[in-house]
Amino acid sequence: MPVCQRLFIVMSGLLSLAGCTTDKTADTASSEKIVNVYNWADYIAPDTLDKFEAEYGIKVNYDIYDGSQVVDVKLLAGNSGYDVVVHSSQYSSRLTPIGVYEKLDYSRLDNRHHMDLELRRKTDVYEKTRGYAIPYHWGTTGYAWNEKLVRERLPNHPMDSADVLFDPEVASRLADCGISLLDGPTDIYPMVLAYLGRNPNAVDDESLAAAEAQLMKVRPYIRYFSNQKMQIDLPTQEVCVAMSWSGDYATAERRAREAGVDIKLNYTMPKEGSGLWVDGVYMPADAPHKDNAYLFMNFLMRPDIAADIANEVWYANVNKASWELTNPKIMNNPAIYPPESEWHVLYPVLAVDPKRERFRTRSFARVKSGI
Amino acid sequence: MSRQTGHSDTTWQRIAIALPYLWLLIFFLAPFAIILKISFADPVIAMPPFTPTFGDDGALQITLDNYAFLFTDKLYAVTYLKSVLMAASATALCLLLGFPIAYGIARAEPETRNILLLLIVLPFWISFLLRVYAWMGLLNNYGVINNLLMWAGVTDQPLAMMYTDFAIYIGLVYSYLPFMILPLYATLERMDLDLVEAAQDLGATSTVAFWNITWPLARPGVIAGCLLVFIPATGEYVIPYLLGGPESLLIGRVLFDEFFTNRDWPLASAVAIVLIFLVVIPIVLLQRNQARATENAA
């Protein structure tokens, strides 16, 4: 229809006047010197992007997120426009089978040879993501605790178990200095089930009921559920025990030091079981700048770059060649790189059947709100 | 304008009338139709994660399961009710605070009036999110307010204000108050003060004059202000998320969980559609009431 066409021409003219890019063919898009990257907040070194831009002359459009769920939805909706996405491999194992990601051509990622094969094997627990990702960082799920505040209340407690979070006897004695839990059923339920000696990834009615009953017992002693607030509240001592991911306590301790507060934080991987999580770097199947995405992904695996990032984020990677460039405090930290003897407590957090996911989410809402 | 240009007048009028309709069509009706369509689908693990409205054979595949599900779990009824009640209370508080403020501004000298109006609008220059974060700093256990109270010796234990319903009310009233004040101001400013004076001359007390003259004349502003506060407050997500505790589960969060945690877009859409109707029904009733009142007056 001519009217529509005319309207379209006028509209696209207006859009390009306004500096917007209109629908381009894949050809022109891929020749642009641009790569669109989507990553967790605080999950890269401050100079990584500058170094990449200087070396390759490719502009990095860097976008950040603060929750895995948001990424999932953007990728599911399609046409996200991103070329490189750092995403949890647990979530991604649900996205790969439905064609969200591009199968990677490993011959274009030659920095893969820097990987430590043994550690790669141990952290490669999400079968469905194989062939679609390069490893980024990995870690465990446990709790950070304030040495002074906890020892005042529990002078002789071993502090090696999840009883600090899930046993009402123990938790009640720490309630006044503040306990926080992560705000997501995918983190909490597996850890409670492991604490109860059950299969962490079970989502049958009976297992969910058992986990819920246990959480209800400690619910009165939990100050709040959050994935981020403890990063501020551990340094300010609003909470003294915070269920968290392995690197967070180190960040919290550094923040406290920057603020002139001298606190000692510890991190415990509960002996009953701790969730192993792995983040991968993925390329959406509809990425507009795939060649640049390969360059960027390969760049992330260069030993000096990987070390830069590790030194900033304080999480473990599998990049062997980067380890000698990494701060020894990180390499020798058992909370970040667990010693061989502790690996047996780690369980992978698997993606569950979506129909059962609803029941787990519902149960968690009951725990939190009582409704 | 002279009557001679009548023809082009009506053309312009039509365009002027068509514009808001066009706006509604693009930014309300079209998204609404998409959400409605998704709410009749089944969730699947695919891209996008719901079944198409028409199957491969062209047959219509729609289901009411998602709406039926909302009745099987009290979670939805309880959180809908709580959200509506909370929004209604916040609206009442905004009216209570906003009316005297709007009245004061409308009666101020013209020069001060502009400054006062500027002060009402000024907070919008700062990001909404940032202002809610600022409240976190004020209401925290060791935040500004508690430190002040403890320093003054009013309490020796910090008052638990953060992560409570109280904090949500503070956030809602603070954030939405300007939306109440501005339409109220607009009606009160136009009001003819002679009417109040006439009433008082005829022996009405200030209270009687207020309820018989000022209040009925201000009603359009009251209604506009209440709608502007109530509608967004019902589905509010950010304020309860940042200031509320885990007990403060509202429909905004339930919708988030359906969409993001359960990845059940059809059910999330059904929750949204029901929410729209919950908000629209009182508005329609109100409007009918208004229309009847005008008819009676005529």
Side-chain angles (χ1 to χ4, degrees):
Chain A
M1 278 198 288
V3 180
C4 280
Q5 262 172 18
R6 222 179 306 154
L7 193 68
F8 179 76
I9 292 165
V10 171
M11 291 284 278
S12 44
L14 282 175
L15 284 174
S16 46
L17 268 181
C20 303
T21 48
T22 51
D23 246 302
K24 285 191 179 162
T25 56
D27 274 351
T28 54
S30 59
S31 65
E32 280 176 332
K33 291 271 185 195
I34 286 176
V35 63
N36 299 321
V37 180
Y38 200 29
N39 191 4
W40 276 98
D42 299 323
Y43 208 28
I44 200 161
D47 58 355
T48 310
L49 305 177
D50 290 343
K51 282 186 180 170
F52 179 79
E53 288 184 342
E55 234 165 274
Y56 292 90
I58 294 170
K59 181 169 169 20
V60 183
N61 290 322
Y62 189 70
D63 196 5
I64 56 168
Y65 61 85
D66 69 347
S68 301
Q69 298 153 330
V70 181
V71 192
D72 240 35
V73 167
K74 276 202 185 178
L75 292 173
L76 273 176
N79 295 316
S80 62
Y82 297 115
D83 301 302
V84 176
V85 175
V86 178
H87 196 19
S88 140
S89 289
Q90 175 208 337
Y91 281 79
S92 296
S93 57
R94 213 166 356 202
L95 297 177
T96 7
I98 56 174
V100 167
Y101 295 127
E102 176 89 356
K103 179 111 184 165
L104 295 179
D105 175 3
Y106 282 147
S107 68
R108 303 178 67 178
L109 298 163
D110 54 2
N111 281 334
R112 284 181 83 245
H113 75 265
H114 295 301
M115 269 196 299
D116 180 79
L117 293 179
E118 169 67 7
L119 204 50
R120 172 64 179 153
R121 186 188 55 73
K122 285 204 280 193
T123 55
D124 187 20
V125 288
Y126 300 99
E127 293 165 25
K128 289 194 178 127
T129 65
R130 280 179 201 152
Y132 292 88
I134 59 163
Y136 198 56
H137 289 277
W138 60 274
T140 63
T141 313
Y143 58 87
W145 52 285
N146 181 315
E147 169 92 24
K148 179 171 155 284
L149 293 179
V150 169
R151 282 302 172 215
E152 279 168 12
R153 289 158 181 86
L154 297 170
N156 301 313
H157 197 76
M159 297 302 286
D160 60 354
S161 152
D163 62 358
V164 174
L165 304 175
F166 302 133
D167 180 350
E169 277 288 299
V170 185
S172 63
R173 291 162 66 186
L174 296 168
D176 72 306
C177 66
I179 303 175
S180 82
L181 294 184
L182 287 172
D183 189 13
T186 40
D187 292 298
I188 294 189
Y189 276 63
M191 193 182 267
V192 180
L193 289 170
Y195 171 70
L196 294 172
R198 289 164 172 267
N199 170 12
N201 288 300
V203 280
D204 58 283
D205 288 337
E206 204 246 327
S207 303
L208 289 184
E212 187 179 325
Q214 192 67 34
L215 284 170
M216 284 298 192
K217 284 186 210 160
V218 291
R219 179 66 188 86
Y221 313 119
I222 306 300
R223 191 159 287 174
Y224 59 73
F225 297 82
S226 170
N227 293 348
Q228 287 104 20
K229 282 177 196 157
M230 71 282 185
Q231 294 260 29
I232 301 161
D233 287 351
L234 279 170
T236 57
Q237 313 203 28
E238 292 252 349
V239 295
C240 62
V241 176
M243 179 181 176
S244 53
W245 298 297
S246 41
D248 290 350
Y249 93 100
T251 313
E253 200 171 53
R254 269 186 301 162
R255 283 199 184 156
R257 223 175 299 132
E258 282 163 18
V261 184
D262 189 26
I263 55 168
K264 178 156 169 35
L265 295 176
N266 301 309
Y267 173 81
T268 298
M269 243 167 52
K271 64 179 180 198
E272 297 88 357
S274 159
L276 172 70
W277 54 262
V278 182
D279 284 338
V281 187
Y282 296 82
M283 192 191 307
D286 53 12
H289 313 96
K290 289 193 175 128
D291 293 333
N292 300 345
Y294 274 115
L295 291 176
F296 189 78
M297 287 166 105
N298 204 33
F299 181 75
L300 287 180
M301 289 188 292
R302 219 171 70 185
D304 58 321
I305 299 300
D308 281 350
I309 299 173
N311 284 331
E312 180 67 26
V313 302
W314 283 59
Y315 277 115
N317 62 25
V318 298
N319 194 314
K320 194 177 188 173
S322 78
W323 292 346
E324 51 194 86
L325 304 168
T326 304
N327 184 343
K329 277 191 192 155
I330 297 172
M331 297 312 300
N332 302 326
N333 189 328
I336 298 173
Y337 285 94
E340 191 55 47
S341 59
E342 285 186 36
W343 267 86
H344 68 276
V345 307
L346 293 173
Y347 56 81
V349 181
L350 301 178
V352 302
D353 172 23
K355 289 200 189 79
R356 297 302 305 172
E357 182 94 68
R358 155 169 306 286
F359 290 92
R360 191 162 69 174
T361 312
R362 182 65 186 93
S363 166
F364 187 54
R366 252 190 316 268
V367 169
K368 284 203 298 180
S369 67
I371 300 170
Chain B
M1 231 176 245
S2 77
R3 277 280 126 202
Q4 280 166 327
T5 52
H7 175 70
S8 68
D9 256 6
T10 45
T11 316
W12 279 114
Q13 270 169 6
R14 278 200 194 131
I15 292 174
I17 293 169
L19 268 177
Y21 278 103
L22 195 70
W23 176 271
L24 279 177
L25 191 76
I26 298 173
F27 294 107
F28 176 73
L29 215 57
F32 180 81
I34 294 170
I35 301 274
L36 192 69
K37 167 193 123 98
I38 299 176
S39 77
F40 290 125
D42 271 319
V44 284
I45 310 179
M47 213 174 139
F50 51 86
T51 52
T53 316
F54 296 99
D56 294 331
D57 51 354
L60 190 68
Q61 28 179 31
I62 57 172
T63 169
L64 290 172
D65 286 0
N66 301 309
Y67 291 94
F69 190 82
L70 297 183
F71 293 96
T72 59
D73 192 334
K74 68 173 176 169
L75 173 76
Y76 305 101
V78 172
T79 47
Y80 274 127
L81 192 70
K82 190 167 180 197
S83 306
V84 168
L85 287 179
M86 218 159 185
S89 318
T91 309
L93 286 171
C94 278
L95 183 61
L96 219 60
L97 275 169
F99 200 97
I101 297 176
Y103 195 88
I105 298 174
R107 297 288 161 263
E109 294 297 316
E111 304 90 71
T112 37
R113 200 186 291 170
N114 286 337
I115 295 170
L116 290 172
L117 274 180
L118 187 72
L119 289 177
I120 298 290
V121 185
L122 207 59
F124 287 119
W125 293 7
I126 302 168
S127 148
F128 162 74
L129 203 62
L130 222 60
R131 285 182 282 135
V132 177
Y133 260 100
W135 275 107
M136 295 175 74
L138 290 172
L139 298 173
N140 253 335
N141 271 357
Y142 296 96
V144 176
I145 296 175
N146 266 318
N147 279 341
L148 208 68
L149 288 178
M150 285 190 287
W151 172 79
V154 181
T155 58
D156 39 73
Q157 278 283 320
L159 292 177
M161 294 184 287
M162 196 56 196
Y163 311 132
T164 61
D165 282 1
F166 171 74
I168 301 182
Y169 277 118
I170 294 250
L172 286 176
V173 171
Y174 165 77
S175 306
Y176 289 114
L177 192 58
F179 295 100
M180 180 66 85
I181 293 177
L182 293 176
L184 275 176
Y185 163 78
T187 42
L188 287 172
E189 193 246 0
R190 276 197 316 246
M191 202 183 96
D192 191 351
L193 269 184
D194 294 346
L195 292 173
V196 181
E197 248 170 61
Q200 281 168 342
D201 286 347
L202 293 172
T205 61
S206 319
T207 332
V208 172
F210 176 81
W211 286 114
N212 285 329
I213 310 288
T214 313
W215 180 254
L217 286 175
R219 252 185 54 185
V222 172
I223 290 170
C226 286
L227 291 182
L228 281 177
V229 175
F230 177 74
I231 295 170
T234 313
E236 181 59 52
Y237 173 74
V238 172
I239 294 172
Y241 177 67
L242 291 176
L243 301 179
E247 296 85 9
S248 328
L249 186 62
L250 297 175
I251 198 67
R253 175 69 197 221
V254 170
L255 205 132
F256 180 96
D257 277 345
E258 291 299 347
F259 194 64
F260 288 96
T261 311
N262 294 341
R263 291 173 200 80
D264 193 337
W265 293 21
L267 192 69
S269 305
V271 172
I273 294 284
V274 172
L275 181 64
I276 290 173
F277 278 101
L278 273 182
V279 176
V280 163
I281 287 168
I283 295 170
V284 171
L285 288 179
L286 210 74
Q287 216 159 28
R288 194 174 295 170
N289 194 13
Q290 263 305 88
R292 204 171 299 150
T294 349
E295 254 170 52
N296 288 350

